[in-house]
C-alpha cells in the first residue's frame, strides 16, 4: 500500500470518527446557588416561611411534608444549582436497522442542593445542604385517585 | 500525513450558539400587585395564567410559575468538543391557605443573567449581575 493511500485512509478515518466517538469538555451553569451565608439570620423555630422566601427567593421545588391525620402539613423547600465542568465521552453507532449510543457525563453525576423544612405553622424547623439525590425522598408514590362513587382503597 | 490531518481538523472546526426560551418572562410589576392576606388564587391565575405546577400542602396549596432561558456555546474541534451551557430562571412560588388566599410568595427573576461563554471563562460576576438586573428593571420587564 502506497504512502498516499495510507494517508488518505487515515484522513478518511479521522473524518468519520466524530460521527461515532467524540470527547467533550462541558461546563454547565444552572440556576443561582444558595450559600450558607445566605441562611445566616434564619433561625429555626423563629423564621417564618415569608422571611426565608424574601432572603432566598423562589425555591426550585416545594414538597408536602409531615402530613397529619387532620390534613395539616408542613413543607420542604428545595433549592438546587450546578456550576460544574468535566470531560465526557460519547460513542454512537447506527445503520438502517440497529442504532445505539453510550455516553458518560461526569458533570451530571452530582448536583448540590439545600432543603429547608417548615412545620405545620410554616415556621422553619431545620435546613441542610447536600446533593439533590440525598435530600429528596428516594421514591414518590402517586396519590390514590378518590372517586365520589367509589371510595378510595 | 500530518499535513492532511491538520487540514482535516481545520475543516472540521466550527462553533455554534443556541438560545432556548421556555415560557414568557415573569414581570416584576405583576408580582407587586399581589398582597398576602388579600389576593386570591383566582386573581393570581387571572394575572399570570395557568401555573406550571400546583402542589398540595395538606389543606394549603402552592403554585409555581417559571420561565427558563438557556444559552449554549459549542466549539467543535474534530473529535473533541468544548461546550458551555448556562440556564437561569424567572421563578415564583405562591403559597395559599385553605381558602385560597395568598399567604406568602417568593420570586427569583434571573433570566437576564444568562450568558454565552466558553467553558473556561468565568461568568456570573456580581458586577455583571447588577448591571443586567438594572437594565431589566429599567426596561420594565
Amino acid at each position: 500500500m502506497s504512502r498516499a493511500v495510507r494517508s488518505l485512509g487515515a484522513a478518511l478515518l479521522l473524518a468519520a470518527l466524530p460521527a461515532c466517538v467524540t470527547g467533550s469538555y462541558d461546563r454547565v451553569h444552572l440556576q443561582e446557588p444558595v450559600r450558607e451565608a445566605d441562611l445566616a439570620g434564619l433561625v429555626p423555630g423563629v423564621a417564618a416561611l415569608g422571611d426565608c422566601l424574601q432572603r432566598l427567593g423562589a425555591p426550585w421545588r416545594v414538597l408536602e411534608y409531615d402530613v397529619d391525620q387532620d390534613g395539616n402539613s408542613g413543607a420542604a423547600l428545595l433549592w438546587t444549582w450546578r456550576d460544574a465542568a468535566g470531560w465526557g465521552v460519547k460513542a454512537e453507532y447506527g445503520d438502517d436497522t440497529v442504532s445505539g449510543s453510550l455516553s458518560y457525563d461526569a458533570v451530571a453525576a452530582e448536583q448540590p442542593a439545600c432543603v429547608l423544612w417548615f412545620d405545620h405553622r410554616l415556621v422553619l424547623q431545620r435546613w441542610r445542604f447536600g446533593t439533590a439525590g440525598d435530600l429528596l425522598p428516594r421514591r414518590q408514590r402517586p396519590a390514590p385517585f378518590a372517586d365520589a362513587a367509589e371510595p378510595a382503597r | 500525513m500530518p499535513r492532511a490531518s491538520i487540514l482535516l481538523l481545520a475543516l472540521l472546526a466550527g462553533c455554534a450558539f443556541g438560545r432556548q426560551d421556555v415560557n414568557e418572562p415573569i414581570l416584576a410589576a405583576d408580582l407587586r400587585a399581589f398582597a398576602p392576606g388579600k389576593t386570591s388564587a383566582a386573581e393570581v391565575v387571572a394575572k399570570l395564567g395557568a401555573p406550571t405546577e400546583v402542589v398540595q400542602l395538606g389543606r394549603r396549596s402552592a403554585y409555581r410559575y417559571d420561565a427558563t432561558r438557556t444559552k449554549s456555546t459549542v466549539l467543535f474541534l474534530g473529535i473533541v468538543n468544548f461546550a458551555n451551557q448556562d440556564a437561569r430562571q424567572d421563578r415564583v412560588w405562591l403559597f395559599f391557605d385553605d381558602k385560597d388566599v395568598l399567604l406568602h410568595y417568593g420570586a427569583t427573576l434571573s433570566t437576564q443573567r444568562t450568558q454565552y461563554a466558553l467553558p473556561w471563562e468565568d461568568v456570573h460576576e456580581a458586577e455583571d449581575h447588577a448591571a443586567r438586573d438594572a437594565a431589566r428593571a429599567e426596561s420594565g420587564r
Side-chain angles (χ1 to χ4, degrees):
Chain A
M1 192 185 295
S2 73
R3 192 174 167 188
V5 172
R6 278 204 306 271
S7 295
L8 183 63
L12 285 173
L13 183 65
L14 198 59
L17 207 51
C20 42
V21 180
T22 51
S24 64
Y25 182 75
D26 301 325
R27 184 163 185 180
V28 179
H29 306 263
L30 299 177
Q31 315 309 330
E32 305 287 337
V34 171
R35 298 181 180 87
E36 291 216 31
D38 298 328
L39 299 173
L42 297 177
V43 181
V46 176
L49 174 65
D51 302 327
C52 298
L53 292 171
Q54 196 165 19
R55 177 73 65 89
L56 303 174
W60 179 254
R61 290 290 178 270
V62 172
L63 303 158
E64 199 172 37
Y65 158 70
D66 191 22
V67 186
D68 69 16
Q69 287 185 335
D70 296 329
N72 300 306
S73 165
L77 275 56
L78 171 91
W79 282 259
T80 186
W81 61 93
R82 191 192 303 173
D83 182 0
W87 287 95
V89 177
K90 189 174 185 184
E92 286 179 296
Y93 170 78
D95 62 21
D96 288 346
T97 54
V98 181
S99 66
S101 72
L102 178 69
S103 65
Y104 170 71
D105 182 2
V107 176
E110 289 198 332
Q111 184 151 332
C114 175
V115 173
L116 274 64
W117 285 272
F118 293 85
D119 64 17
H120 293 180
R121 300 168 298 143
L122 298 179
V123 171
L124 180 65
Q125 271 190 337
R126 66 188 192 281
W127 52 264
R128 195 180 147 202
F129 283 90
T131 59
D134 288 340
L135 295 171
L136 286 175
R138 293 274 174 214
R139 195 171 165 191
Q140 288 178 303
R141 294 176 186 277
F145 176 76
D147 191 311
E150 185 183 338
R153 280 173 277 177
Chain B
M1 168 65 190
R3 257 187 251 163
S5 302
I6 290 167
L7 180 65
L8 191 62
L9 277 176
L11 289 173
L12 287 171
C15 58
F17 297 90
R19 172 174 153 171
Q20 186 179 36
D21 287 323
V22 178
N23 296 333
E24 292 291 320
I26 296 165
L27 303 181
D30 285 347
L31 301 180
R32 282 195 290 270
F34 300 149
K38 290 181 182 170
T39 305
S40 69
E43 288 169 322
V44 168
V45 171
K47 179 73 96 177
L48 299 181
T52 308
E53 183 185 13
V54 176
V55 175
Q56 185 179 354
L57 300 171
R59 299 171 191 280
R60 293 181 284 242
S61 59
Y63 291 15
R64 172 166 63 96
Y65 289 87
D66 59 27
T68 306
R69 175 166 297 164
T70 305
K71 290 182 177 175
S72 305
T73 313
V74 187
L75 176 63
F76 299 100
L77 293 175
I79 59 170
V80 179
N81 304 323
F82 294 89
N84 188 80
Q85 187 184 56
D86 188 19
R88 289 289 187 273
Q89 274 196 328
D90 288 349
R91 194 170 56 246
V92 183
W93 275 99
L94 303 109
F95 295 80
F96 297 97
D97 67 11
D98 56 349
K99 294 183 176 58
D100 282 340
V101 175
L102 183 65
L103 285 170
H104 305 285
Y105 73 86
T108 297
L109 303 180
S110 59
T111 49
Q112 73 282 2
R113 295 180 176 183
T114 314
Q115 296 186 53
Y116 293 108
L118 285 165
W120 50 84
E121 288 183 288
D122 282 324
V123 290
H124 296 299
E125 286 122 353
E127 312 83 64
D128 188 47
H129 282 182
R132 287 166 180 263
D133 293 351
R136 179 171 179 174
E138 206 170 289
S139 72
R141 292 187 64 84

